[in-house]
Structures are given as C-alpha cells and as structure tokens.
Amino acid sequence: MTGKKMFGTNGVRGVINETMTVDLVLKLGKAIGTVIGPGKIVIGRDARNGGEMFSNTVIAGLLSTGCSIVNIGPVPTPTLQFVVPRMRAAGGVVITASHNPAEFNGIKVMGGNGIEISRETERKIESIFHSCNFTVANWDALASVTHDETAVDQHIEGIKSHINTEIVRTRNLVVVIDSANSVGGLVTPKLMRDLGCKVVSLNSQLDGSFPGRSPEPTPENVIELRKTVKSIGADLGIAHDGDADRATFVDEDGNTISGDHSLAIIAKRVLNRRTGSTLVTPISSGKLIEDIVEEVGGKIDWTVVGSVDVSHRVEEINAELGGEENGGVFYPPHQAVRDGPMTSALIVEIMSSENKKLSELVSELPVYYTEKQKLNIPIEKMNSIAEKLLILTEDQRRITIDGIKLIQDDGWILIRPSGTEPLYRIFAEGRTQETAKNLCKFGIDLIQRAMK
Ligand code: MG
C-alpha cells in the first residue's frame, strides 16, 4: 500500500502487520474522522485475526479528531450498514477483508446513510492521510466510546419486515448454513429459525484462522456444505463470505448455484412487481441477466465492477434492485447495499411462496454456461499488462468501461484486473460449456501474451 491510492474496489486491504499495520490504521482513523466527522461513528468487525487490534486503533484515531464511538463488536458488514442511519451516526467503519485469505485484514468506510463512501470521499481521505492535515480535538472536546449489542437483532427484524413469514413457516424448510467461521453465523442461523426453518450450522464458531474453509464461497470451497445438504436431505444450503455481504446457494442435490442464477431468480420476481423496473448490475453480469430482465419488461443500468459503484447508482436512480454475478444482491426496500442474510431470506421466501425446490427455480432459467478463472500477476506488471491488452484487442468488438469485455458471436469474455489483489480475473459465458471454457482459455492466452 504505497503511493497515493489506498482504497481498492471495496475498502483498504493488506496483510496483517506487513502492509496493514497499526501505524497505518491509526493515521487512517485520523483521516477518516477529519473527513466524515465530527459526530457519532459506528465501529464493527468481522472474525478475522487483527480485528480487535485494528478496531481499537481506528477508534483511537477517530476519537482524537473529536468523533464519538458506538462499538458494536463482531457483526456482518450489512448489519453495521443497517444500523448506521438508524443510530443517526455520521458514518461507520468496519474492520474486514471480506473474502480475502486469512492473513489479510482491511477497512470499509460508510457514510451516514450506511452506504460505502463515494470514490470522491475516498480520495479526500487519502489526501488528508498523506498530508497529515488532521483535525485535532481540544482535550475538553474528546467524546466517549459506548457499546451496543442490539445491532444484530435490529438487522434481523429489519429483514423480516420485508418477508412473508407466514408463508415461509408453512414449508418447514431444512437449511444448512456455512458461515466460514465468521460473522454470518451471528445473523443468518437465527434469522432462518425465526422464519420457521430447521437450521443446521456448519463452521459457525468465530475463528480468524478460518479452520473450516476459505472465506470465499466458491463451489470448491463449500464442498462440505454441498455434501451435508445432500446427505441429510436438506432443502437449501447457504454459504457466506467472510463479512456476509454475499450468499452462495446450494440446491437440494448439492449443486452450487452461480451468482448469476440466484440474482436472476430474485430479479425475475422483484422487477416483475412493477413494469419498467431497473436492475443496476456491473459489466461482468451475463446474457442470462439480460434475458430475464427483458422477459419481465425491465431495464438494465450497467456499471463498472464494484459493489460501491452499484450501491451508489441504485441510490441515485432509485432502482428496484441491484446485483452482481458473485452473489451480491442489493435490495433497496431494505437497504441499497449487498446483504447476505437479506438475500437468503428472499430465496427462502420465493421457494416457499411458489412451493418449488431451488433446482426447479434454476431449471426455469435460460441456459448459458460460464467459466471464471484468475491468474496471479507480479504486482509490478499489473499496469503494463492493462496497456498491452488494450493494444492486443484493438481490432475486436469490445467494451472498455472497466477492464475489457470482448463480444464474440457465440459468447463474451471479460478480462479485468482485481481491485484488491495482484491478479487478473477472467469471466466468460457461452452457449455451451466448451465455448465458455475456450473463451476463458483465450483470455488467459491474451494475458500471457501481454505479460511477455
Ligand atoms: Mg464481502
């Protein structure tokens, strides 16, 4: 984390005690307080190692600028986001590195509306950080730290207010929840029980070494969940990422449902409530989403990849829904940010009200095949590769609002650098798995050519 830019696609991230240190976090706390203070700031954290160390450090920095603190302890990111406006706070800070490996930690900053601060506010914080031009409160203007343990209950009640609890209760669904030993386990199991489901929990004790599985809920990482769902005859499996803003679903046969599919299932119902409804989604979403939105007479508003950009656009145009291919769903009647427990409640409500299995809901969707891959890149080569890729694909049909989306007759491929790690992500979609695989391989070849 050198140079001017500190915020990536979603917050500041680094390796604990290497690139993410208490010295950096203290300065960052002072810079955050200078820009979004004065006033009350809500602090939360996920279950990662360093969570207490960094939340205490960021609290010290914020206090020195005259902010007061409400510490809500370990919670999912969407829980903190839900309570920030309800506590009439000036903003919120959550210590999390979301789905990154265990050695990482990070910081996400929210404004008073609970949504991640804008790119412009991130630049302001970075500029104050580098100039050290911090607000310093007088000794008699220092405020206090209070603790609040009501956030999880507030969040659960908020979600239930948007769900037809009676209908879900009639189905007696059996749900297996894999919380990756992180904070999702504080919300989703209780929420599902409140909705009348029978809950089986996996990896539900908080442990920053992530002993159960890696915090990214990919099909390979949730094999234990898939096996459990199938072997006990459960109706549904739910896997959260490290800070539970996302949910990945597993059907009754133990198959992982792609994020595009779960988004399409929700979008089909939510957009259908009113004609001309809008879905905000990044350029990485595929043809399936386009087909579904068209089917229900809705519109798509495309954004660059990044949940912060989707949230801000959802808010700006008052969209009915937002969603990402990675399992992030933004349901604005509840809040305009990704919320894994809310997404889970929407899925069980749809299964209950239509009395369908998850595999049936998936089978109603148009069939496309996707492939996703990532390629680690030496960090110093990230920029030169981006430039070379633009030259290498000059003569192709492409969209370059974020990375490079190449459109071919039998599918498309998106090649883009990660905003949080030194790697490139390749997404491909085709009418057959073979096509998608070949497109993905084509993308990897392009990057390797660009690396030479
Ligand atoms: Mg996350």
Side-chain angles (χ1 to χ4, degrees):
M1 260 179 288
T2 51
K4 289 271 180 221
K5 197 166 179 292
M6 302 172 68
F7 285 87
T9 314
N10 200 333
V12 177
R13 289 190 199 165
V15 175
I16 300 165
N17 279 351
E18 286 182 23
T19 48
M20 173 108 182
T21 62
V22 288
D23 305 73
L24 178 135
V25 172
L26 181 65
K27 261 180 88 178
L28 196 54
K30 292 188 200 178
I32 294 166
T34 302
V35 173
I36 66 173
K40 189 194 292 177
I41 309 290
V42 186
I43 310 288
R45 59 183 155 92
D46 67 13
R48 280 171 187 277
N49 283 3
E52 271 187 305
M53 174 170 80
F54 292 128
S55 57
N56 285 326
T57 312
V58 85
I59 286 171
L62 287 162
L63 285 168
S64 76
T65 67
C67 291
S68 67
I69 304 294
V70 182
N71 189 350
I72 62 172
V75 287
T77 298
T79 303
L80 177 127
Q81 295 181 294
F82 185 77
V83 299
V84 162
R86 285 159 185 87
M87 290 181 170
R88 296 196 176 78
V93 174
V94 57
I95 310 296
T96 178
S98 186
H99 61 272
N100 283 50
E103 64 271 25
F104 282 79
N105 212 325
I107 286 188
K108 293 183 182 180
V109 185
M110 321 300 164
N113 56 4
I115 298 177
E116 288 92 341
I117 51 170
S118 66
R119 300 298 182 204
E120 194 189 341
T121 309
E122 288 178 355
R123 297 292 91 81
K124 272 189 206 157
I125 292 172
E126 284 166 353
S127 140
I128 299 283
F129 178 96
H130 292 296
S131 70
C132 295
N133 201 5
F134 308 119
T135 300
V136 181
N138 265 335
W139 69 270
D140 57 354
L142 293 181
S144 60
V145 180
T146 53
H147 295 264
D148 188 297
E149 288 175 1
T150 65
V152 163
D153 287 338
Q154 287 189 49
H155 187 207
I156 290 175
E157 289 310 311
I159 293 170
K160 279 156 61 186
S161 72
H162 299 285
I163 296 294
N164 187 336
T165 312
E166 287 317 305
I167 280 197
V168 182
R169 285 189 168 280
T170 61
R171 280 287 307 277
N172 300 311
L173 295 171
V174 178
V175 181
V176 187
I177 301 165
D178 178 347
S179 315
N181 298 101
S182 196
V183 286
L186 301 172
V187 173
T188 308
K190 175 154 194 311
L191 169 67
M192 289 296 142
R193 270 196 295 273
D194 281 6
L195 292 175
C197 301
K198 182 171 190 299
V199 173
V200 175
S201 293
L202 295 182
N203 304 320
S204 61
Q205 70 281 29
L206 304 190
D207 188 331
S209 66
F210 298 105
R213 66 163 166 92
S214 150
E216 182 153 27
T218 57
E220 313 78 63
N221 289 342
V222 300
I223 284 172
E224 194 189 355
L225 173 67
R226 295 164 60 188
K227 281 185 185 157
T228 308
V229 167
K230 202 165 175 209
S231 64
I232 69 168
D235 298 287
L236 174 70
I238 300 171
H240 288 306
D241 70 319
D243 65 339
D245 51 3
R246 292 190 281 133
T248 294
F249 299 98
V250 170
D251 74 11
E252 72 285 356
D253 292 322
N255 299 310
T256 313
I257 307 306
S258 78
D260 262 350
H261 282 104
S262 48
L263 172 59
I265 289 168
I266 293 169
K268 197 169 162 178
R269 278 81 186 172
V270 171
L271 299 186
N272 202 26
R273 290 178 197 158
R274 191 160 62 202
T275 46
S277 290
T278 303
L279 170 74
V280 176
T281 196
I283 195 81
S284 50
S285 289
K287 193 79 178 71
L288 168 66
I289 298 298
E290 287 186 59
D291 288 0
I292 288 298
V293 172
E294 194 184 334
E295 184 189 319
V296 296
K299 294 182 295 236
I300 290 191
D301 192 273
W302 297 105
T303 68
V304 300
V305 177
S307 66
V308 181
D309 303 278
V310 176
S311 278
H312 282 273
R313 188 66 181 157
V314 164
E315 181 88 342
E316 188 186 327
I317 65 168
N318 227 340
E320 278 73 14
L321 190 69
E324 301 172 305
E325 53 65 43
N326 63 11
V329 174
F330 310 63
Y331 186 61
H334 169 61
Q335 57 177 347
V337 298
R338 303 192 290 195
D339 188 322
M342 181 76 237
T343 310
S344 307
L346 287 168
I347 289 288
V348 296
E349 185 186 46
I350 293 166
M351 289 171 68
S352 302
S353 61
E354 299 179 24
N355 202 10
K356 285 177 185 157
K357 293 175 176 167
L358 185 55
S359 65
E360 289 176 73
L361 292 167
V362 173
S363 70
E364 292 167 357
L365 300 171
V367 180
Y368 290 97
Y369 295 86
T370 57
E371 277 288 314
K372 273 200 248 184
Q373 288 224 35
K374 49 190 180 186
L375 195 63
N376 292 312
I377 304 286
I379 195 157
E380 66 279 4
K381 288 205 169 172
M382 289 291 284
N383 285 335
S384 66
I385 288 176
E387 285 161 25
K388 277 199 193 138
L389 281 172
L390 279 172
I391 298 166
L392 284 172
T393 58
E394 237 165 12
D395 54 346
Q396 303 197 32
R397 234 187 330 148
R398 65 179 192 182
I399 304 171
T400 56
I401 72 168
D402 186 12
I404 302 174
K405 189 169 187 172
L406 300 173
I407 298 145
Q408 304 195 346
D409 289 338
D410 51 354
W412 60 271
I413 174 171
L414 176 69
I415 306 166
R416 62 180 292 279
S418 161
T420 52
E421 293 163 276
L423 55 86
Y424 259 79
R425 292 184 196 283
I426 303 110
F427 302 82
E429 191 176 53
R431 292 201 183 95
T432 66
Q433 195 69 55
E434 182 79 18
T435 314
K437 264 200 183 120
N438 288 339
L439 282 166
C440 221
K441 194 174 163 298
F442 174 70
I444 289 188
D445 289 346
L446 268 177
I447 296 170
Q448 278 164 346
R449 274 167 60 201
M451 239 193 294
K452 277 179 194 153

